[in-house]
């Protein structure tokens, strides 16, 4: 088994040169120890000026952004158990030379006898190494070295020089060369240059807008518009859009307008207006942007509501946005696909019925894709279309079983009761539910059965006649008793009385003649 010794290293190693304002990450890595403990500190125990994150075998110190407090020797200490300890240090040196010089020439027109050139070098550190040279073409106008500067922070340094001009100076180039030649620090660039011509004020002119990736990007892609113009001094730029977009200024930086993720609402006419305050002139450039992409459902709605009562007028509307414009199909899902389309994306249902309820789908499609959205129309109504089924039949033999099932449409779903007509003509509730089952049926079970369905919007009733064939003592004495019941017949009560009398006589005598009984009663 190879045993690895406990070691430590810091990356980057040795001396580090970092620019103020950027991000620096120091990594302290160990080998030969499964779970080391780490600590970071600086010389003289100054603040770390960063964030420490410990991992299993390494630790990081992140300085974001790098500031002057990070100019130290950093020491990383790693402990493996209680006895082993390793340390490693690294020196962090700082500089700041972030951008090119800025030249200002006053007055900007060389028509004046004397002009003043100002060169600004932003955020320099350490400035005691800064050298600045002002040149006209290849001739050195002025040179300044800041070797005696004692600034302890980043500062913008300025060099100013005035000189007399002649007509020959028109068009000549004024150059500001800034150098930060720190020998013991390795960074680039150590020299920055900016030039500006001694020209009369002009412009803006030849203003154009370029669109990247194109004038017709796909939805979701980034869009960048760049406004370019010729102007001295540089023109001020204002972006506008038609239709108006109040958020447009938040997307602009100098002459560039950036849309990170283009949407259909970003389509429109973009206007770049450039203004030169010195010449008091303005120029405009425009570009028409069309965002392409698959459709998106902008609206799918039901008026007056997704829940209505039968008889109301209902309007279903769907709209989608895309480029090219989408083909829109709006239909009920239960309808076949060839029911026809609605080019305006609308369906009008006058005096809506229960059958109009259900799921409606909106399909929007163009060459880039298709999207489907659904909405449900809920039509409230009272019970209707009642149906009663009897198994095995409405005429059964005594001792058998019968099942009567009642169905009724309605919204909300109706409550169903079964009732039985009494001899008095009144109805008595006997069961709540759709299916009424009578086991071992008796002669007393024959009669009229009524199904009633109701909800808050109405009720519906239907009657079924149940006929029972009585079983007598001997097979040859079986007779069929079919009694027709009706709630509107005046003889319902006498018929029931005769039936009861016949039944009792049959039980007393063992057999009974219905014909004789009827003759006696008559």
């Amino acid at each position: 088994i190879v045993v690895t010794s406990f070691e430590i290293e810091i990356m980057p190693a040795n001396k580090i040169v970092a620019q103020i304002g950027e991000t620096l990450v120091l990594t302290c890595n160990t080998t030969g120890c499964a779970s080391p403990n780490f600590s970071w500190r600086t010389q003289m125990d100054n603040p770390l000026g960063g964030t420490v994150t410990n991992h299993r075998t390494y630790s990081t110190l992140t300085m974001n952004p790098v500031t002057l407090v990070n100019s130290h020797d950093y020491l990383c200490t790693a402990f493996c158990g209680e006895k082993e300890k390793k340390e490693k240090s690294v020196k962090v040196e700082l500089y700041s030379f972030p951008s090119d010089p800025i030249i200002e020439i006053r007055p900007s027109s060389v028509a004046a006898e004397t002009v003043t050139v100002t060169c600004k070098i932003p955020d320099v550190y350490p400035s005691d190494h800064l050298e600045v040279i002002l040149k006209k073409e290849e001739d050195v106008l002025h040179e300044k070295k800041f070797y005696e500067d004692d600034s302890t922070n980043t500062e913008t340094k300025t060099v100013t020089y005035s000189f007399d001009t002649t007509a020959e100076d028109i068009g000549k180039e004024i150059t500001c060369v800034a150098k930060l030649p720190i020998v013991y620090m390795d960074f680039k660039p150590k020299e920055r240059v900016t030039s500006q011509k001694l020209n009369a004020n002009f412009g803006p002119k030849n203003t154009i807008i370029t669109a990247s990736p194109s004038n017709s990007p796909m939805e979701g892609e980034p869009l960048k518009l760049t406004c370019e113009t010729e102007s001295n001094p540089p023109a001020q730029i204002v972006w506008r859009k038609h239709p108006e977009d109040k958020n447009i200024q938040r997307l602009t930086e100098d002459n560039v307008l950036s849309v990170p993720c283009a949407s259909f609402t970003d389509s429109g006419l973009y206007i770049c207006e450039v203004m030169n305050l010195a010449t008091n002139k303005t120029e405009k450039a425009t570009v028409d942007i069309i965002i392409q992409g698959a459709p998106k459902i902008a609206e799918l709605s039901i008026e007056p509501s997704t829940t209505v009562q039968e008889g109301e007028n209902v309007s279903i509307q769907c709209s989608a946005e895309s480029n090219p414009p989408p083909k829109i199909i709006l239909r009920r899902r239960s309808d076949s696909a060839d029911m026809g389309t609605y080019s305006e994306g609308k369906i009008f249902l006058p005096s809506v019925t229960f059958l109009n309820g259900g799921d409606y789908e909106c399909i929007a499609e163009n060459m880039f894709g298709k999207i489907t959205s659904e909405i449900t129309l809920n039509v409230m109504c009272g019970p209707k279309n009642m149906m009663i089924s009897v198994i095995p039949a409405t005429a059964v033999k005594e001792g058998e079983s019968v099942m009567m099932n009642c169905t009724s449409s309605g919204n909300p779903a109706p409550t169903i009761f079964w009732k039985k007509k009494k001899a008095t003509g009144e109805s008595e509730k006997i069961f709540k539910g759709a299916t009424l089952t009578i086991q071992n049926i008796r002669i007393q079970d024959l009669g009229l059965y009524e199904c009633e369905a109701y909800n808050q919007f109405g009720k519906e009733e239907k009657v079924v006649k149940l006929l029972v064939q009585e079983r007598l003592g001997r097979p040859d004495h079986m007779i069929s008793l079919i009694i027709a019941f009706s709630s509107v017949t005046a003889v319902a009560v006498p018929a029931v009385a005769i039936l009861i009398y016949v039944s009792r006589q049959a039980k007393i005598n063992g057999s009974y003649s219905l014909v004789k009984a009827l003759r006696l009663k008559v």
Side-chain angles (χ1 to χ4, degrees):
I1 299 174
V2 178
V3 178
T4 305
S5 62
F6 181 42
E7 299 293 341
I8 185 174
E9 64 174 348
I10 292 183
M11 296 179 292
N14 303 323
K15 186 172 66 174
I16 299 171
V17 178
Q19 178 156 239
I20 295 170
E22 295 185 348
T23 300
L24 174 63
V25 179
L26 301 181
T27 302
C28 184
N29 190 39
T30 63
T31 56
C33 184
S35 299
N37 294 318
F38 295 93
S39 70
W40 290 86
R41 61 188 179 90
T42 66
Q43 61 185 19
M44 305 299 292
D45 289 326
N46 289 312
L48 288 175
T51 302
V52 174
T53 304
N54 291 323
H55 304 272
R56 186 177 177 185
T57 59
Y58 68 96
S59 175
T60 60
L61 173 59
T62 303
M63 306 164 205
N64 185 21
V66 173
T67 65
L68 285 169
V69 301
N70 299 123
S71 181
H72 293 298
D73 285 322
Y74 284 88
L75 178 68
C76 175
T77 304
F79 300 89
C80 186
E82 297 181 357
K83 296 182 178 180
E84 289 193 86
K85 168 185 172 182
K86 295 285 184 178
E87 291 183 331
K88 204 80 170 181
S89 66
V90 65
K91 183 177 182 61
V92 176
E93 295 184 328
L94 305 180
Y95 78 98
S96 179
F97 197 39
S99 58
D100 293 338
I102 301 169
I103 293 179
E104 293 179 358
I105 301 176
R106 298 292 181 198
S108 58
S109 173
V110 296
E113 291 184 357
T114 303
V115 297
T116 300
V117 178
T118 301
C119 181
K120 297 180 179 179
I121 300 89
D123 301 327
V124 178
Y125 179 84
S127 56
D128 58 2
H129 287 71
L130 179 64
E131 300 175 1
V132 179
I133 302 173
L134 288 177
K135 298 194 298 182
K136 181 175 66 174
E137 296 294 333
E138 297 302 320
D139 298 328
V140 176
L141 296 175
H142 182 66
E143 185 172 0
K144 183 174 181 178
K145 298 179 179 179
F146 292 78
Y147 295 164
E148 304 301 322
D149 193 273
D150 57 357
S151 299
T152 58
N153 205 339
T154 58
E155 287 187 2
T156 297
K157 298 301 179 181
T158 302
V159 174
T160 302
Y161 181 73
S162 298
F163 64 96
D164 295 332
T165 62
T166 64
E168 289 78 16
D169 288 328
I170 295 177
K172 288 187 176 180
E173 199 164 64
I174 300 297
T175 302
C176 178
V177 180
K179 300 179 181 180
L180 198 63
I182 307 176
V183 178
Y184 56 87
M185 294 176 69
D186 184 18
F187 65 88
K188 291 182 180 180
K190 291 188 175 182
E191 179 177 304
R192 291 184 175 274
V193 179
T194 299
S195 297
Q196 184 176 315
K197 287 185 177 181
L198 281 169
N199 288 332
N201 296 334
F202 66 88
K205 61 181 180 179
N206 302 325
T207 304
I208 61 170
I209 299 175
T210 56
S212 177
S214 71
N215 291 22
S216 301
M218 295 297 294
E219 185 204 17
E221 288 185 343
L223 170 66
K224 184 171 76 171
L225 303 181
T226 304
C227 183
E228 297 175 314
T229 189
E230 297 175 13
S231 176
N232 187 42
Q236 294 184 2
I237 295 177
V238 176
W239 286 94
R240 291 187 288 112
K241 177 179 177 287
H242 183 76
E244 184 179 1
D245 186 350
K246 296 181 179 179
N247 296 322
I248 191 171
Q249 297 305 324
R250 291 190 293 179
L251 304 174
T252 63
E253 182 177 349
D254 298 328
N255 66 324
V256 178
L257 188 153
S258 298
V259 180
C261 184
S263 63
F264 294 122
T265 57
D266 292 317
S267 297
L269 184 69
Y270 287 79
I271 304 162
C272 171
E273 184 173 330
V274 292
M275 297 164 285
N276 187 330
L277 299 180
T279 62
N280 199 28
K281 290 183 179 180
T282 300
E283 189 173 77
K284 296 179 182 178
T286 62
V287 63
D288 198 14
I289 298 297
I290 301 173
I291 309 300
Q292 300 187 104
K296 286 189 175 181
I297 302 295
E299 178 190 17
L300 179 56
S301 61
I302 298 178
E303 297 294 338
S305 172
T306 54
T307 299
V308 297
Q309 291 189 33
E310 258 192 341
E312 291 190 62
N313 294 334
V314 171
S315 175
I316 306 175
Q317 180 168 320
C318 176
S319 63
E321 57 180 16
S322 71
N323 186 59
K327 174 186 176 184
I328 296 178
I329 299 174
L330 181 59
R331 66 187 179 206
R332 201 172 71 157
R333 283 197 62 185
S334 57
D335 295 337
S336 60
D338 58 356
M339 287 293 289
T341 62
Y342 299 80
S343 59
E344 297 299 322
K346 294 180 181 178
I347 297 178
F348 181 67
L349 302 172
S351 190
V352 70
T353 69
F354 175 69
L355 297 177
N356 296 130
D359 294 329
Y360 286 77
E361 65 178 358
C362 175
I363 304 171
E365 183 176 11
N366 68 7
M367 62 187 293
F368 295 110
K370 179 171 71 172
I371 188 170
T372 301
S373 185
E374 295 181 4
I375 195 170
T376 301
L377 174 62
N378 191 21
V379 181
M380 313 297 285
C381 67
K384 58 176 63 181
N385 304 324
M386 179 178 284
M387 295 181 64
I388 296 178
S389 61
V390 183
I391 300 174
T394 55
V396 294
K397 293 180 182 180
E398 192 176 18
E400 293 182 341
S401 297
V402 66
M403 183 174 65
M404 293 181 284
N405 186 61
C406 178
T407 60
S408 178
S409 302
N411 192 20
T415 301
I416 296 178
F417 278 97
W418 280 97
K419 299 188 289 187
K420 188 173 187 296
K421 288 277 188 180
K422 293 182 178 180
T424 60
E426 297 179 354
S427 294
E428 176 187 10
K429 286 185 179 180
I430 59 172
F431 182 73
K432 180 181 179 180
T435 303
L436 173 62
T437 302
I438 304 175
Q439 304 281 357
N440 192 23
I441 201 164
R442 298 175 299 167
I443 195 67
Q444 294 94 323
D445 294 321
L446 65 80
L448 291 177
Y449 288 82
E450 182 179 15
C451 176
E452 178 184 299
Y454 71 89
N455 61 18
Q456 62 262 46
F457 297 101
K459 74 174 183 176
E460 184 183 24
E461 298 176 335
K462 199 166 187 178
V463 174
V464 63
K465 297 177 184 180
L466 179 62
L467 308 178
V468 180
Q469 190 179 57
E470 185 178 17
R471 187 184 300 275
L472 301 180
R474 298 190 304 273
D476 59 335
H477 286 141
M478 297 282 290
I479 64 172
S480 296
L481 299 177
I482 303 176
I483 310 299
F485 281 74
S486 173
S487 61
V488 297
T489 305
V491 297
V493 175
V496 173
I498 293 172
L499 179 62
I500 296 172
Y501 179 79
V502 171
S503 176
R504 288 177 177 174
Q505 290 300 317
K507 292 177 180 177
I508 294 171
N509 300 328
S511 65
Y512 200 78
S513 171
L514 179 60
V515 176
K516 290 180 181 180
L518 293 175
R519 285 176 181 171
L520 290 173
K521 290 297 178 182
V522 174

